[in-house]
Amino acid sequence: MIDRSVPRRVLPAPEPRGAATVPAALPVRPRTGRLLVLATVFICAACGLVYELELLALGSYLIGDSVTQASVVLSVMVFAMGVGSLLAKRLRTRPAVGFAAIEAALALLGGLSAVALYASFAWLGESRPALVAFSFAIGVLIGAEIPLLMVLIQRIRRQDAGGAVADLFAADYVGALVGGLAFPFLLLPLLGQLTGAMLTGTVNALVGGGLVLWLFRRDLSRRSRVLLIVANVTVLAVLACATVLADDFERVARRAVYGAEVRVAVRTGVQELVLTGPPTGSPRSLDLYLDGRLRVSGYDEYRYHEALVHPAMTGPHSRVLVLGGGDGLAAREVLRYPDVTSVTVVELDPGVIRLARTDPMLSALNAGVFDDPRLGVVSQDAFRWLRRPGARDRYDVIVSDLPDPGITPSTKLYSQEFYGLAARALRPGGRIAVHAGPPSTRPRTYWTVDSTLRAAGLRTTPYSAGGRLSGSAAGPDRTPLGAGGAPAQDWGFVLASREQAPPLRVDHDTPALRSLSTGSLLDSARDTERTRMAGLPPSTLPHPRYS
């Protein structure tokens, strides 16, 4: 029987033994020390988010499909952060040493992550394994930070766990905000992906190592102090050397990706532009890459642009709108018609326009169209331009010369809403020609474009054109040459109008063409029809259907 007459004394639970239970011997007052720890949380969180955004940006650039890459990076990293939090439990007895070691490793991995991904892509041809590996490793290290910082801040001044967690996470989230804004608006435009990541790693190492080696130096044994100094100096030296060699590395890696004849490589605010080919060669030897994808090949671009433009020019064509096409090649074909009175090119990236105007080979390829007084240029997103308030322009022909619909940033420009805006800009009897991806190798994407145009109230005529006849090709619309020397690739197009399905032909007054005739167009339409996939739903802004 239990005697309840004598009250029982409730003893506090024993605290874990080890360094975490001993107040830190600081060189400053506890309040100042606490603020320094929170400032370190702020900076480390900013660095951590920069690493994350770097992986996202470079993964999307090198691999494509930004939605998939974002899902992979974020899910792997969040899972790894949980793993890191669990592993940090083993370091709680020596939190200062553990935190300094983690920050040194994080600075090294995060700072060199962009270089490693680019090297993997350039020399191995595949960067997905490296992307997943770095996402996991960086996530583990980021996940181990907060538990150790929690121990360190409690050693400075004991407070309730809820208050300490609130303070740490407030500093962490605000730091993440600063890092998230600094990456696109400061680091990427001023330093680029490689140097930006290295600078972030340098800051990470200085702050993480500096906090422990100065604020918690009395907690460190002589051996630990020497090891941490050597580790941080090594990390800083490696990052410094990598920064100095970054330009040379980028040039060598670029040659591995694009070949030895890289003439122009420039990063605009929108994308990376690379021109290859001998500096004094024929324009036919020119290749233009946008974000690593072959967009224009001087060898066979006329096949693509003749097929895109001239079927739509059958009928009235005095006013023409070109969406995309900043290289000037679609406009070149349009301006071959003397009765064209005005051409408007709407191109998102002014850097493409600048390159098409000033590069001698690209300017020769587009026949200097930007000097034609009939041509006007608008540097703006095509979707935003079409829906601008008070838009009253009407066009006889709209040419949609946009990147492949399978590239995520282009998806909205292949949506039902976009085609509805384009249809509104057509004059009665006007036609719209759309580049829709290859029907032979990606029929679902191609026929989704056709379905989306029809859902926007347009009548469609599908057709295609053969790609390069020899050699190999790359990019979203190109695959290596097949056996037997046959074209390995076709370009798919859809011609559309509001009133009726437009006829597929070239008129007798069409300028001389090298690759196109009414007969070849009808043959390509029959071949394209064999790939038809019926019943595909249209792509909309809330529900994109391209993959």
Side-chain angles (χ1 to χ4, degrees):
M1 183 175 178
I2 300 176
D3 183 1
R4 301 181 184 276
S5 59
V6 179
R8 300 174 62 198
R9 183 181 178 189
V10 180
L11 298 176
E15 293 186 348
R17 300 178 64 186
T21 66
V22 180
L26 304 177
V28 295
R29 292 181 300 174
R31 179 181 178 84
T32 303
R34 187 171 174 277
L35 289 175
L36 289 173
V37 171
L38 292 176
T40 300
V41 175
F42 171 86
I43 295 172
C44 290
C47 294
L49 197 67
V50 168
Y51 300 144
E52 185 176 330
L53 294 174
E54 189 71 46
L55 292 173
L56 287 172
L58 202 54
S60 300
Y61 164 49
L62 298 177
I63 303 171
D65 188 1
S66 59
V67 173
T68 299
Q69 307 318 317
S71 300
V72 169
V73 170
L74 292 177
S75 57
V76 169
M77 189 167 284
V78 170
F79 167 73
M81 287 169 66
V83 174
S85 297
L86 292 175
L87 294 177
K89 293 166 66 175
R90 298 177 176 272
L91 302 174
R92 286 185 302 167
T93 56
R94 303 188 68 189
V97 174
F99 178 74
I102 285 171
E103 292 308 300
L106 183 58
L108 185 64
L109 283 176
L112 297 180
S113 58
V115 170
L117 257 65
Y118 197 21
S120 174
F121 176 79
W123 283 284
L124 302 179
E126 178 58 78
S127 53
R128 286 183 181 88
L131 179 67
V132 173
F134 274 95
S135 298
F136 183 82
I138 291 174
V140 168
L141 295 171
I142 291 175
E145 287 178 326
I146 292 295
L148 297 178
L149 286 165
M150 178 72 175
V151 176
L152 290 175
I153 203 168
Q154 288 287 61
R155 291 192 56 215
I156 293 174
R157 189 180 70 190
R158 299 288 295 182
Q159 66 181 114
D160 65 283
V165 169
D167 291 341
L168 285 172
F169 277 103
D172 186 79
Y173 293 149
V174 175
L177 171 66
V178 172
L181 295 176
F183 177 73
F185 296 114
L186 184 64
L187 294 176
L188 194 57
L190 294 182
L191 300 175
Q193 292 172 317
L194 304 187
T195 306
M198 295 170 195
L199 177 63
T200 303
T202 301
V203 172
N204 202 161
L206 288 172
V207 172
L211 177 79
V212 171
L213 289 170
W214 179 69
L215 189 62
F216 294 97
R217 64 180 182 270
R218 296 173 186 172
D219 288 353
L220 305 176
S221 66
R222 179 180 178 82
R223 181 171 178 271
S224 297
R225 191 158 46 246
V226 170
L227 288 175
L228 289 178
I229 290 173
V230 170
N232 279 275
V233 169
T234 302
V235 168
L236 292 173
V238 170
L239 292 175
C241 291
T243 302
V244 171
L245 298 174
D247 289 342
D248 293 334
F249 166 81
E250 197 167 350
R251 281 192 291 270
V252 172
R254 191 178 287 122
R255 291 193 190 98
V257 174
Y258 300 110
E261 295 179 333
V262 176
R263 292 195 302 106
V264 177
V266 59
R267 182 83 198 179
T268 71
V270 178
Q271 58 198 337
E272 183 184 55
L273 311 179
V274 174
L275 273 179
T276 67
T280 58
S282 165
R284 285 171 57 86
S285 62
L286 175 145
D287 284 336
L288 170 62
Y289 294 84
L290 305 182
D291 272 350
R293 299 175 178 88
L294 181 60
R295 179 64 176 158
V296 171
S297 170
Y299 182 84
D300 64 354
E301 57 78 20
Y302 68 92
R303 295 177 179 275
Y304 168 89
H305 290 101
E306 287 184 353
L308 173 65
V309 170
H310 293 286
M313 299 294 285
T314 301
H317 51 246
S318 62
R319 300 193 72 223
V320 179
L321 172 65
V322 179
L323 303 174
D327 49 44
L329 299 173
R332 176 199 65 195
E333 296 299 319
V334 171
L335 289 171
R336 293 177 66 192
Y337 292 81
D339 51 343
V340 169
T341 59
S342 72
V343 179
T344 302
V345 175
V346 181
E347 167 62 50
L348 174 63
D349 189 355
V352 177
I353 300 289
R354 192 179 309 113
L355 191 64
R357 285 180 184 272
T358 59
D359 182 79
M361 287 181 65
L362 187 53
S363 180
L365 198 63
N366 65 36
V369 292
F370 292 99
D371 296 327
D372 194 309
R374 295 175 291 171
L375 182 69
V377 178
V378 178
S379 295
Q380 193 172 344
D381 174 74
F383 198 110
R384 180 179 299 178
W385 188 81
L386 283 174
R387 68 176 301 195
R388 69 197 188 282
R392 298 180 181 273
D393 300 326
R394 292 295 186 93
Y395 297 92
D396 298 302
V397 177
I398 297 178
V399 177
S400 182
D401 185 18
L402 296 165
D404 185 85
I407 302 172
T408 303
S410 301
T411 301
K412 72 174 184 178
L413 305 179
Y414 287 85
S415 66
Q416 181 178 338
E417 293 86 347
F418 180 76
Y419 291 136
L421 294 172
R424 190 179 67 180
L426 283 174
R427 285 177 172 174
R431 287 86 56 210
I432 177 171
V434 176
H435 161 231
S440 61
T441 56
R442 295 175 60 202
R444 177 172 291 276
T445 294
Y446 177 84
W447 290 107
T448 297
V449 175
D450 178 79
S451 173
T452 304
L453 283 162
R454 287 187 282 107
L458 295 161
R459 308 294 182 86
T460 62
T461 302
Y463 67 105
S464 60
R468 95 171 25 188
L469 299 177
S470 63
S472 61
D477 279 344
R478 299 166 182 253
T479 54
L481 188 71
Q489 181 61 57
D490 56 353
W491 291 295
F493 308 96
V494 181
L495 186 62
S497 178
R498 286 189 297 181
E499 289 78 13
Q500 61 182 358
L504 199 59
R505 68 175 191 270
V506 290
D507 286 340
H508 65 278
D509 59 347
T510 300
L513 304 177
R514 289 182 281 176
S515 65
L516 205 63
S517 67
T518 298
S520 68
L521 283 171
L522 295 176
D523 289 342
S524 75
R526 284 190 291 269
D527 292 340
T528 302
E529 193 63 33
R530 296 191 186 100
T531 69
R532 178 177 288 276
M533 299 181 70
L536 294 176
S539 181
T540 63
L541 290 179
H543 196 163
R545 305 278 183 176
Y546 304 107
S547 58

